[in-house]
Amino acid sequence: MRPRAWCGVLAAVALSTTACGAGGGKAETTDDGAGAARAGFPVSVADCMGAKTTFDAPPKKIVTSNAAALELLMWLGAGDKVIGTGFPPGKGTLPQDMSDRAAKVPVLGKMVIPKEKLLGSGADLYIDSFSSMKNMGKAGDAPTAKEFETAGIKHVYLKSTACAAMGKSARTDLSGVEADIEELGKVTGTSARARELVQEMRKKTGAVRDALKDVPEDKRPSYFLFDYDASTKQPMAVCNRQVANGILTQAGARNVFADCDGDFKPVGWEDVVAKNPDWIQLAVRGRGSEEADRKAFDDAAEFLRNFPATKDLKAVQEGRFLRITSQRTTIGGVRSADTVREIAHTLYPDRVK
């Protein structure tokens, strides 16, 4: 069994995200003032604490904290503006055309981008998937607001992940992820493309909602997301502020740790056993190939079948496992809607095709 590494949870989750199709859409941006006004500028966005940042025109040079932000920009058609990233996409975790383009983006940090490198990158925008780089333990120090300002870098957040732990209510849908997409669209001058992406997501989740509308809450199956790579010694619960709670809820599942406020929380195996989930997601982190992923899923299932605390759980004995990587569930993005549909299809095969 591996020791728990809480600082590594965010880090490893951030290493890659997946997407089912090619990102596209040409950014409808222009350098002249009249064009900026036509594209909806100036625009203001708030950080996790409500502080506003105003853009008079689209950014020209963007650095992303991780692959999730990089992927979103590619979906929006603004990927060509990215001049560097942290947590680069893992092999095989993006569609081929996205992967080829992402491979050309300079890697400023295999994990957190060092402070000096970020401030000296020449970027005019940094998109942050974390509320603070201090969340990453000793991996790096976050620049101060003054340091960002001095370097000429505006700093915005993916709120569905960065601000999750600060939320005042449970996430039960993908509205936070959709808001991130729409906000990035406004900032980068790609609002039309953002609206298209959000409409397509809502079409998919709406179909699931309609298919399950007459299933009573207490009849919906309970569900445990087992983050195999976070720890086997002490499981990490996905709580009700985490984007995964919204995905599971929209898919018609009841997160067994939905009574936990926040995003993640270490729990004991006795807590999992007491919840006795109907289904367990083998949430391994993508290994870069179908064969490697298959082995990781098999290893996670084998652990649950042999571990004394879990081997007698009904879900384990009956093999009620979902093989979906953790990135697709705990990191919000365009493909979150596809994850909702995949989970719903597994739980309700007669209702969700």
Side-chain angles (χ1 to χ4, degrees):
M1 291 186 287
R2 294 177 293 281
R4 182 176 66 86
W6 168 233
C7 291
V9 172
L10 286 176
V13 167
L15 281 172
S16 60
T17 56
T18 56
C20 63
K26 182 177 176 60
E28 65 258 26
T29 60
T30 180
D31 291 335
D32 64 89
R38 287 196 299 273
F41 291 89
V43 297
S44 295
V45 297
D47 66 10
C48 297
M49 303 302 293
K52 296 274 183 81
T53 297
T54 299
F55 293 80
D56 295 318
K60 297 179 180 179
K61 296 181 179 181
I62 304 173
V63 168
T64 54
S65 65
N66 72 347
L70 172 60
E71 181 186 337
L72 278 181
L73 290 174
M74 288 184 170
W75 279 104
L76 287 167
D80 59 340
K81 296 176 179 287
V82 182
I83 62 169
T85 190
F87 290 104
K91 179 184 176 183
T93 58
L94 296 178
Q96 190 58 51
D97 74 324
M98 273 192 183
S99 182
D100 292 343
R101 285 182 285 147
K104 298 177 183 178
V105 175
V107 176
L108 302 184
K110 290 185 178 180
M111 295 178 67
V112 170
I113 301 171
K115 176 178 174 178
E116 294 74 17
K117 187 172 287 189
L118 174 56
L119 293 174
S121 65
D124 54 3
L125 173 62
Y126 175 60
I127 300 175
D128 198 344
S129 299
F130 312 106
S131 59
S132 168
M133 279 193 275
K134 292 177 182 177
N135 282 346
M136 309 305 293
K138 297 180 179 179
D141 294 322
T144 65
K146 183 64 177 177
E147 287 172 325
F148 273 121
E149 182 181 1
T150 300
I153 302 174
K154 294 183 185 294
H155 184 193
V156 301
Y157 296 85
L158 292 184
K159 296 187 186 67
S160 61
T161 50
C163 309
M166 307 175 197
K168 299 185 184 304
S169 59
R171 293 174 181 267
T172 58
D173 56 29
L174 297 183
S175 58
V177 178
E178 293 166 355
D180 275 340
I181 294 170
E182 291 174 332
E183 186 168 276
L184 277 188
K186 291 177 182 178
V187 167
T188 60
T190 59
S191 288
R193 175 60 176 161
R195 287 192 294 271
E196 291 175 1
L197 293 171
V198 169
Q199 287 170 1
E200 185 62 25
M201 290 174 68
R202 289 175 178 169
K203 181 179 179 181
K204 294 172 182 177
T205 57
V208 171
R209 182 182 60 250
D210 291 344
L212 305 180
K213 62 185 178 182
D214 59 343
V215 180
E217 179 66 24
D218 61 354
K219 299 298 183 183
R220 299 188 174 206
S222 57
Y223 192 106
F224 170 53
L225 188 149
F226 171 37
D227 192 339
Y228 176 66
D229 294 304
S231 175
T232 53
K233 183 176 182 180
Q234 183 175 28
M236 190 65 63
V238 166
C239 299
N240 60 25
R241 268 49 165 187
Q242 222 285 323
V243 66
N245 192 70
I247 289 174
L248 301 184
T249 302
Q250 282 212 309
R254 290 183 294 118
N255 176 14
V256 294
F257 289 106
D259 56 351
C260 158
D261 293 336
D263 49 5
F264 297 98
K265 178 184 177 182
V267 295
W269 280 113
E270 66 275 11
D271 300 309
V272 176
V273 171
K275 300 289 188 181
N276 192 24
D278 296 314
W279 289 87
I280 298 175
Q281 179 177 331
L282 307 176
V284 306
R285 295 182 187 127
R287 302 299 200 260
S289 70
E290 288 187 13
E291 182 180 356
D293 286 352
R294 188 181 306 113
K295 183 180 185 306
F297 285 130
D298 288 345
D299 290 344
E302 194 65 16
F303 168 80
L304 292 173
R305 291 191 183 103
N306 292 319
F307 188 52
T310 57
K311 64 184 181 65
D312 294 325
L313 287 174
K314 188 174 181 180
V316 174
Q317 292 187 334
E318 295 184 358
R320 292 185 180 179
F321 298 139
L322 288 88
R323 297 179 171 223
I324 303 174
T325 60
S326 60
Q327 296 100 321
R328 283 183 50 197
T329 324
T330 59
I331 293 287
V334 171
R335 203 182 176 207
S336 294
D338 297 290
T339 305
V340 167
R341 189 164 59 181
E342 182 174 347
I343 293 173
H345 171 66
T346 302
L347 273 52
Y348 306 92
D350 294 334
R351 289 175 175 264
V352 181
K353 305 300 182 181

